[in-house]
Structure formats: structure tokens, C-alpha cells
Amino acid sequence: MQVPESLPDLYKQRKRWAKGGTEVWLTNGFKVARKPFKNVGLSVMFLDQTLSIIWSFFFFISLIYFCIISFPLLVNGDWNGLFKIMTISMIFLCFEFVAGLIQVLAALVIDHDGDKIKYFIFSPFYLIFYWII
């Protein structure tokens, strides 16, 4: 795999991966869902892809909602209301961060029988600088 050298290349790569993951999910989802214990590895990957798809839609919708709710509060100078919205947003981001840590941990445990678990310490950087993009 070649590492993207620019942000547009990174975006294209992530878009291609998302499209491919969604196509695989649609093609094989019912097969895995009917017999989840037949092949546990596929079931875990199916669950991971499902959570990724849900997360991306939820993130997009919540971002739009946040902007729609925050703009009138900012214009009217309702700092208390804006603070409440920011607090809810931070709680949501913390939930996303914990969910991301669980996904990264699961991937590191599965990959090479846990030999790469030592890289878990770098997962916050991965979540902040790469996953969100």
C-alpha cells in the first residue's frame, strides 16, 4: 500500500475504501448475519464495517444539526445556550473517541495474533489525524 502524499490523495483513498467497504457489506452482509458464529472473524469485520457506516452518517447529520442549532445562538449572543450545545458536542466526541479506541484495539488484537497491540498507544493520533478525515 502506498501512503497518500497529499490531503486530496488521502481523501480519494478514504473515499475509495469507504465505497469498497460498503459494497462488500451490501454483498456479504446477509450471509454473515444469517450464520454469525460460523466464521467469527467475518462477523467481527462485518460488525466493524457496520459501525463505521453508521458512524459516518451519524457524524455528518450531527455536524449539520450542530451548525443549524449553534448559528442562531451565536447571532443572538446566547452564550449559555451555546455552552450547553458545546457540552453536548464534547460528550458526543468522547463517545466517538471511545468507540474508535475499541475498534482500533479490536483490529490490533486480531492482526497477527495481537503482536501489534504495542501500537495501541498511538491510536489517539490515528483517530484525530486520520480517522476523522
Side-chain angles (χ1 to χ4, degrees):
M1 178 179 90
Q2 289 183 319
V3 177
E5 296 182 9
S6 66
L7 283 178
D9 289 341
L10 176 63
Y11 176 77
K12 288 176 188 175
Q13 179 194 53
R14 297 293 289 178
K15 185 177 174 182
R16 186 176 65 248
W17 286 359
K19 182 180 177 186
T22 303
E23 288 173 358
V24 169
W25 187 87
L26 290 171
T27 304
N28 300 314
F30 294 111
K31 294 176 192 174
V32 174
R34 275 186 276 168
K35 298 179 183 179
F37 299 109
K38 185 176 180 181
N39 191 342
V40 176
L42 285 177
S43 296
V44 170
M45 292 179 74
F46 175 72
L47 178 64
D48 179 62
Q49 187 63 34
T50 303
L51 291 174
S52 293
I53 292 168
I54 291 170
W55 178 88
S56 62
F57 282 112
F58 193 57
F59 186 82
F60 181 70
I61 291 167
S62 64
L63 180 66
I64 290 172
Y65 181 73
F66 173 78
C67 292
I68 290 170
I69 295 297
S70 298
F71 185 71
L73 296 174
L74 188 63
V75 170
N76 294 331
D78 185 2
W79 306 117
N80 190 30
L82 194 59
F83 178 74
K84 289 178 184 177
I85 295 295
M86 293 297 288
T87 302
I88 292 170
S89 298
M90 290 302 121
I91 291 170
F92 174 69
L93 284 175
C94 288
F95 169 75
E96 286 182 351
F97 193 73
V98 169
L101 288 175
I102 291 169
Q103 282 184 297
V104 169
L105 181 62
L108 291 173
V109 168
I110 291 170
D111 196 21
H112 296 284
D113 297 324
D115 289 341
K116 296 185 178 182
I117 195 75
K118 60 187 174 192
Y119 298 118
F120 185 69
I121 193 165
F122 297 108
S123 58
F125 300 112
Y126 170 71
L127 293 172
I128 292 170
F129 296 113
Y130 189 74
W131 194 49
I132 299 252
I133 293 174

